[in-house]
Amino acid sequence: MFRTHTCGELNLQSAGQEVTLSGWVQRIRDKGGLIWIDLRDRYGITQLMMEEGTSNPAVIAKAKELGREFVIQAKGLVIERISKNLKIPTGEIEIKVVEIKILNKSILPPFTIEDNTDGGEELRMKYRYLDLRRTPVRRNLELRHRMAIETRNYLDKQNFIEIETPVLIKSTPEGARDFVVPSRMNPGEFYALPQSPQTFKQLLMVAGYDRYYQIVKCFRDEDLRADRQPEFTQIDCEMAFVEQNDILETFEGLTKYLFSTIKGMNFPEPFPRMTYADAMKFYGSDKPDIRFGMKFVELTEIAKGKNFKVFDDAEIVVGICVPACADYTRKQLDELTEFVKKPQIGSKGLVYVKFNFDGTIKSSVDKFFDEADLKNWASKFDAKPGDLMLILSGNETPTLKALNEVRLEMGKRLGLRNPDTFAPLWVVDFPLLEWDEETKRFYAMHHPFTSPKPEDIGQLETNPGLVRANAYDLVINGVEIGGGSIRIFNKELQKRMFTILGFTDELAQAQFGFLMNAFEFGAPPHGGIAFGFDRFCALFGGSDSIRDYIAFPKNNSGRDVMIDSPATISDEQLKELNLKITFEPPKK
Ligand code: ASP
């Protein structure tokens, strides 16, 4: 028997017991006469102690051989500690060791394996198995596990069944590039890895499994950011015989259930719902962070015609009112101006109006606007003395997007984006299509299987840009947690959709014939949603980085630096696959 207890479970009640523990040596303190060892396993840390004079000399000699991360077994007596550490559950006791066995040695680890480590990101990724020994990382994976279990519990109770769908498939276009896998048995042909199980879950609806879910890996060959990975996990769901509201209620239920079981937080009210059009108008984003206000106020009408060319030439003049910041200094305002001019934000400049605490009003455009004008703006903003109004102008879409960044920045500066506060929101009525200037064609905003709103179907060919979809996103704290739609379930409409997306009939048939054919065999009305599981875990854990919640993540270049992948393959493998590499690495 390697252990009678784990390193996380002994306390004062166990005092006097003979125990055996196994684990890793986190730290050794040799105070001459007294030796303490922090012994770690998955469950916690227990302090071992030996004392010159009262402990067996052989045990002390053994303890002196130990180094960091040695795996040992220790036998001893649980005793009350003199100086207690009340921060950890085992902090009131220690083990007076009578026997130590080295189970395995360790070479010196490349970074300290403690809550606060000296290891940089790259090094920790290279030795991820050591990083995973650290408590904060382990807690993240435990949280992920709990969330998966509770998700399954909830969905199971709601009659969902988990069904696995294949990983080697044909492309499912969802806006990203596919990863592909060459087929040895079918020379010159490739599988694609699923960007999501979209078409399969719809086929399961045709097959009559009216409530499907799967916690499933998805693959997208996209440029990476902190909240993106080339392979990621979804809670993927589909339901038949439902309308949009049924889906929103079911998954609002899942979200509330997870908040309550995992975080002990309750949301008695229904989640607010906002149309995409309002989200863009009032927040300049399809995923507004509604933990705080500062909704956009448009001034276009009242700000034009005063010879201020910047406003007169603009499509839109729009701003936010920042509470209690009228005392911002010149320097702070200059900083904000620099902020909006950053290339990724792309504004030409920022206009400010200070509604001073003493009731006077002062702006950066006093030359063009008198006090009455500015007071008029202030009343539009519903500004109070002490507030600072920040105003941008220009073409509509980029200006709204830039103001979104300013709003988020001000929210951050004012401490209004507290990771312990959660503000869920459904964004509904997304446009069906999105125009792409570069390729001069429409793309599906969600995916090609999304149903237009029935009342907008008449405009599909005449006014495609205005057609709204039965599509929805769940947004929490400005993060898109999930998205889905009611689907097209009729072959003719699906064909029209492919035509609008620029597919010829032949191409649509070749790529999606299987789905359109299935629609001819009694497809039920259906719809679904998928939650980004990694992101959901990160949000619950209070982090921006999904990598922290994935056991073996990839870095920003899509590499796994631990196993050194991707990698080249042997000539033999290439030959077997009938592949020839034409890429030549750039000369150094
Ligand atoms: N397959 C979609 C996605 O991955 C989700 C859905 O429409 O259910 O975004």
Side-chain angles (χ1 to χ4, degrees), residues 174 195-199 201 218 220 232 234 236-238 446-447 450 472 480 482-485 487 527-531:
E174 303 219 14
Q195 292 184 30
S196 88
Q198 186 60 37
T199 50
K201 65 175 175 175
C218 301
R220 295 183 190 176
F232 59 97
Q234 286 188 343
D236 188 46
C237 306
E238 196 77 5
H446 187 45
H447 51 56
T450 295
Y472 33 79
E480 183 197 324
S485 59
R487 324 299 184 191
I529 192 165
F531 281 32

Side-chain angles (χ1 to χ4, degrees), residues 99 128 133 222 311 376 415 472 491 502 545 550 574:
E99 197 183 320
R128 181 65 164 168
R133 285 185 191 163
E222 293 178 295
F311 283 0
N376 189 16
Y472 33 79
K491 181 174 179 172
S545 169
I550 296 174
L574 283 172

Side-chain angles (χ1 to χ4, degrees), residues 5 10 13-19 76-79:
H5 296 82
L10 295 169
Q13 266 144 33
S14 346
Q17 275 185 47
E18 281 272 356
V19 298
L77 191 70
V78 183
I79 58 172

